[in-house]
Amino acid sequence: MRKFSRRAAIGLVATGLVLSGCGRDAGTSADKAKDVGAGKISGTVTVWAMGTEGEQLGAFAKEFEAANPGVKVVVTPMGFDVAHDKIISAIAGGATPDISMIGSTWMGELAKTGAVEPTPSNLIDKSAFFPGSWETVLSGGTAYGVPWYVETRAFYYRKDLADKAKVKAPTTWEETQSFASAVKAKAGASQGVYQNFRVGSWQEVVPLVWQAGGEIVEGNKWTFDTPQMVSALTQFQSFYKKGTAPNKVAEGAFPQNFIKGEAAAFYSGPWMIYGLDKDGGAGFDQKYDVAPYPKGSAGGTSLMGGGDLVVFKKSKNRDAAWRFIQWLSDPKTQVKWFQTTKGLPAVQSAWQDPALTSDKRVAVFGEVLKTAKTPPPYSTWEQVARVLEGEIQKVALLKTSPAEAAKVMQQKADDIGTGL
Amino acid sequence: MVRKAVLYVLLTLGLGVVVTPFGWAVLSSFKPEQEIRQSPPTFLPERPTLDGYRALLDQMDLFIVFLNSVVVAGVIVAANILFCSMVAYALTKLPFRARNIVFALVMVQMMVPGIVLMIPQFVVVANLGLVNTIFGIVLPYLVMPLGIFLMRQFMAEIPDELVHAARIDGAGEFRIFFRIVMPLCKPALATLGLITFLTAWNNFLWPAVVAQTQDRYTLPVALAIFSNHQTSQYGLLLAGAVVVVAPVLILFLALQRFFIEGIASTGIK
């Protein structure tokens, strides 16, 4: 999710070129998924993956190779910043690997290039995945890949400070505000609750819209100028108005402000558990806890992200590629993958394994995932996200009103369109 | 006297501003991960360690990657020194009708942002079957327009009489080019070499797109794998940054004299 939120403008230039200049056949519903045979597979499967996943997958795949003699999995790790451009270029040049990991918001764009294969339903059972994560592989109703791992956001808070202020983890929007006031007044948390209002800030606000019962898109139209968006932004801004969320801290202040106890809470994904345990020093894991999103009038829907896997139509080893993906989405493999990289399983049944239930903080994310949703897989989403961030920052700095911001978001997003 | 003192104070401050972050990066490459992320940050390593460098050696094939970088930069520098000079020679010393049009076309290329050309260039490279080859990585950079401009400006200053005299003595164009003009261009060539080296050495996007297996990665491309938003390994990255910067620094110190001369005499910047 956060991993994929930053995409350079150059990516958009490149995308535009591929989509317009090279005039490929659009991936429409005419794409029919072909079955994958159950016979013996062999040969090389080339896989591209980003960051930690790319570093670890090569060694991890040895088990698959052992179970399928004659198959070799060759993994090329790539940096996050270049992954999108690399994949788009490879599609334009017809030089794609067999499999690639992609960001969970890229599917709309990739399906449109017509370069990725529909998911064979005889191999992959969609009901095994979290509904929200399956959404990320859909484009125009057709599935073009498989969710690999997921991320979602929850509420991190300092247990010690909450105890000192005699408050519990908030379960509603109202309680969040009183929680922030209490820790600020009684536990010395001068910044209250930290809310990100810079790059990636749409991730703070979009869940609030859902929690207020709104949608950001309906019938292929952006819906930002809605009462629910206004109420989400009002909730977001109320912390800055009351001084219970910091809007004057430097960009790099987080997460040190949480570790020092200046901020008593923030919203983020599972990766922060490992970051905090590492940066906080010995015993810090006893000082904080994770709770589900505080609920708005329509519930506590969170935002889901993660990584998906796609097979390219030009793959020279299609059957082996899909069988490798099938193996990766096996519940047992998903648990092992979690133990290797901390990437949360996209397959629901994997969450019953003790590896995931034993750490209560991790288990919270498993609960949150059941209702979490994703941003729409439109090719213009990243552009629209930048628009949202611009307005959210103004809201946080109290330079605009929620109603005005919602209006501007709508207007600018309509200018950009959904790319459909 | 006072003015000089003020000047030195200002220069020292400027130097401090430029060098401090760099110095911090070098020093931090010897700190353990936790100390790098510590707030407030430390300047000198409190617990010096070579963990960053060890991780660098363990987690990537530093030798291959470094070698790729050296080969890519070396080929690009050599090609630019030869080809840009040749074009510049033609543009200044060989009278032909469309000379100014050709020069204008070169200049136009300088105006086009490289990123716009990336996908078309990749398609060409892919059709030539050069994806995932070192040659594919260097191909678009063999003759850079800036280099042509630089060399043309410099060669225009070399008196045509020298060339005429050599022609009268029966020297061919190649002989004149290699024996008379090129030796006179040393300062400009040093500048050209350094600029192209920097471009090639630091180039990220194109090599990252063309190289499809790790054994073709250059240094910046390989290091980018370790830069995630949540789980960056700063020790490794800073150690890698030192490895990336060290050759540039050494090269600059070695060529400094020529570099300044070259820039001063071509009137760029």
Side-chain angles (χ1 to χ4, degrees):
Chain A
M1 171 160 58
R2 267 192 77 197
K3 284 180 182 173
F4 306 114
S5 64
R6 200 173 60 140
R7 201 195 300 171
I10 45 177
L12 294 169
V13 174
T15 313
L17 272 168
V18 172
L19 295 180
S20 59
C22 300
R24 263 154 213 286
D25 54 322
T28 57
S29 52
D31 263 341
K32 280 263 159 27
K34 289 182 293 258
D35 280 358
V36 171
K40 194 177 159 357
I41 47 173
S42 63
T44 305
V45 177
T46 52
V47 187
W48 292 357
M50 292 84 112
T52 319
E53 286 73 25
E55 286 166 51
Q56 307 280 356
L57 185 61
F60 190 78
K62 290 275 173 283
E63 199 184 313
F64 178 76
E65 292 177 342
N68 296 277
V71 175
K72 199 168 160 31
V73 178
V74 179
V75 179
T76 301
M78 50 185 173
F80 271 101
D81 292 348
V82 78
H84 180 262
D85 295 341
K86 192 177 165 94
I87 292 169
I88 293 294
S89 308
I91 291 173
T96 45
D98 295 311
I99 299 174
S100 183
M101 167 180 162
I102 64 163
S104 62
T105 53
W106 302 1
M107 192 55 88
E109 180 183 3
L110 290 186
K112 216 172 167 181
T113 65
V116 288
E117 271 216 4
T119 313
S121 52
N122 77 320
L123 210 61
I124 305 290
D125 174 20
K126 73 173 189 179
S127 64
F129 300 89
F130 286 106
S133 73
W134 189 257
E135 291 276 309
T136 65
V137 302
L138 294 179
S139 176
T142 308
Y144 286 95
V146 175
W148 185 12
Y149 69 91
V150 289
E151 294 166 345
T152 192
R153 296 163 65 87
F155 185 80
Y156 283 76
Y157 68 102
R158 286 284 295 259
K159 251 190 321 194
D160 53 343
L161 300 181
D163 287 346
K164 212 168 162 190
K166 300 201 169 52
V167 280
K168 287 208 172 81
T171 57
T172 65
W173 282 13
E174 294 72 33
E175 283 179 30
T176 314
Q177 186 57 262
S178 47
F179 174 92
S181 309
V183 288
K184 188 176 176 183
K186 297 181 205 155
S190 55
Q191 300 179 359
V193 172
Y194 176 79
Q195 303 181 127
N196 172 27
F197 60 93
R198 296 191 176 94
V199 176
S201 62
W202 63 269
Q203 299 167 20
E204 302 267 340
V205 171
V206 169
L208 298 177
V209 178
W210 290 328
Q211 290 160 18
E215 288 291 342
I216 55 168
V217 70
E218 260 169 288
N220 291 336
K221 287 237 158 50
W222 298 113
T223 51
F224 292 122
D225 193 7
T226 60
Q228 290 86 358
M229 173 56 99
V230 174
S231 117
L233 288 171
T234 308
Q235 167 74 4
F236 185 74
Q237 195 183 42
S238 67
F239 292 87
Y240 298 108
K241 276 194 165 157
K242 292 192 180 127
T244 48
N247 60 6
K248 290 193 178 65
V249 290
E251 198 156 357
F254 176 80
Q256 284 293 336
N257 55 358
F258 183 73
I259 291 169
K260 285 191 204 150
E262 292 162 357
F266 62 92
Y267 307 86
S268 191
W271 58 84
M272 284 310 299
I273 295 179
Y274 313 105
L276 289 173
D277 287 358
K278 203 158 63 176
D279 289 356
F284 190 71
D285 58 336
Q286 297 303 313
K287 290 188 184 164
Y288 76 97
D289 207 348
V290 182
Y293 243 108
K295 289 190 173 70
S297 59
T301 309
S302 182
L303 180 72
M304 179 186 280
D308 297 338
L309 294 165
V310 293
V311 173
F312 291 95
K313 281 186 184 157
K314 287 213 166 178
S315 167
K316 292 187 194 78
N317 203 351
R318 175 181 181 269
D319 282 11
W322 280 115
R323 293 268 286 277
F324 180 56
I325 291 182
Q326 181 192 31
W327 177 76
L328 284 174
S329 31
D330 183 89
K332 282 197 288 294
T333 320
Q334 290 251 304
V335 171
K336 264 190 216 132
W337 184 241
F338 166 74
Q339 288 164 327
T340 311
T341 64
K342 305 294 178 200
L344 301 181
V347 172
Q348 296 201 50
S349 58
W351 284 82
Q352 280 145 24
D353 192 278
L356 286 128
T357 51
S358 61
D359 188 337
K360 288 216 170 59
R361 299 171 304 178
V362 174
V364 167
F365 288 98
E367 278 308 304
V368 173
L369 279 166
K370 286 180 183 161
T371 55
K373 298 207 288 196
T374 57
Y378 295 158
S379 51
T380 56
W381 167 247
E382 292 289 333
Q383 266 174 288
V384 171
R386 295 298 87 77
V387 167
L388 300 192
E389 286 165 11
E391 293 310 305
I392 291 166
Q393 179 153 8
K394 284 185 217 157
V395 167
L397 298 173
L398 309 181
K399 287 187 176 150
T400 186
S401 69
E404 179 60 27
K407 248 193 218 95
V408 176
M409 285 175 182
Q410 183 70 49
Q411 201 185 339
K412 290 194 180 167
D414 282 343
D415 287 347
I416 295 169
T418 57
L420 289 175
Chain B
M1 198 54 205
V2 175
R3 271 177 74 178
K4 210 162 195 183
V6 171
L7 189 70
Y8 273 95
V9 169
L10 285 177
L11 282 175
T12 311
L13 283 176
L15 186 73
V17 168
V18 173
V19 169
T20 308
F22 179 72
W24 186 83
V26 173
L27 289 170
S28 295
S29 70
F30 296 102
K31 294 175 191 167
E33 192 75 19
Q34 209 182 338
E35 194 182 326
I36 298 173
R37 294 141 79 86
Q38 193 172 306
S39 159
T42 58
F43 195 72
L44 292 172
E46 278 169 3
R47 287 158 289 157
T49 167
L50 287 173
D51 283 356
Y53 292 90
R54 229 171 266 137
L56 191 67
L57 286 170
D58 282 353
Q59 295 184 33
M60 66 190 232
D61 211 333
L62 190 63
F63 178 73
I64 296 279
V65 167
F66 195 84
L67 192 69
N68 285 342
S69 268
V70 169
V71 171
V72 165
V75 170
I76 290 178
V77 168
N80 273 281
I81 284 185
L82 182 64
F83 297 137
C84 291
S85 309
M86 283 181 161
V87 177
Y89 180 79
L91 287 175
T92 52
K93 304 295 175 216
L94 299 180
F96 61 99
R97 201 182 282 170
R99 206 158 87 164
N100 287 330
I101 298 174
V102 171
F103 184 56
L105 283 175
V106 171
M107 296 309 291
V108 164
Q109 287 184 56
M110 270 172 76
M111 315 292 165
V112 181
I115 189 65
V116 174
L117 299 175
M118 190 184 79
I119 300 242
Q121 280 174 344
F122 185 83
V123 173
V124 171
V125 164
N127 287 338
L128 291 172
L130 293 175
V131 170
N132 206 24
T133 62
I134 294 291
F135 191 57
I137 295 176
V138 301
L139 187 59
Y141 295 92
L142 292 181
V143 198
M144 291 197 261
L146 178 68
I148 296 174
F149 175 72
L150 188 86
M151 293 312 292
R152 180 194 176 271
Q153 298 309 92
F154 194 86
M155 279 190 197
E157 301 295 311
I158 295 176
D160 288 349
E161 286 78 9
L162 286 176
V163 179
H164 293 321
R167 278 196 196 123
I168 289 166
D169 286 345
E173 295 301 332
F174 274 100
R175 202 184 171 96
I176 300 172
F177 174 71
F178 282 114
R179 288 292 172 81
I180 295 174
V181 176
M182 285 295 261
L184 289 171
C185 288
K186 268 185 201 152
L189 290 173
T191 309
L192 175 66
L194 195 68
I195 291 175
T196 44
F197 180 81
L198 279 178
T199 312
W201 188 257
N202 294 333
N203 196 10
F204 172 65
L205 192 59
W206 177 256
V209 164
V210 175
Q212 296 200 332
T213 52
Q214 245 177 317
D215 56 357
R216 295 280 185 278
Y217 277 8
T218 56
L219 264 175
V221 179
L223 283 174
I225 301 169
F226 301 99
S227 155
N228 294 352
H229 292 263
Q230 294 91 36
T231 50
S232 284
Q233 303 180 43
Y234 290 108
L236 184 157
L237 286 171
L238 286 168
V242 171
V243 173
V244 170
V245 170
V248 180
L249 218 60
I250 292 167
L251 196 76
F252 185 83
L253 289 177
L255 293 178
Q256 197 181 21
R257 193 164 56 89
F258 294 111
F259 186 55
I260 291 164
E261 209 176 307
I263 284 204
S265 52
T266 49
I268 290 189
K269 282 181 187 169

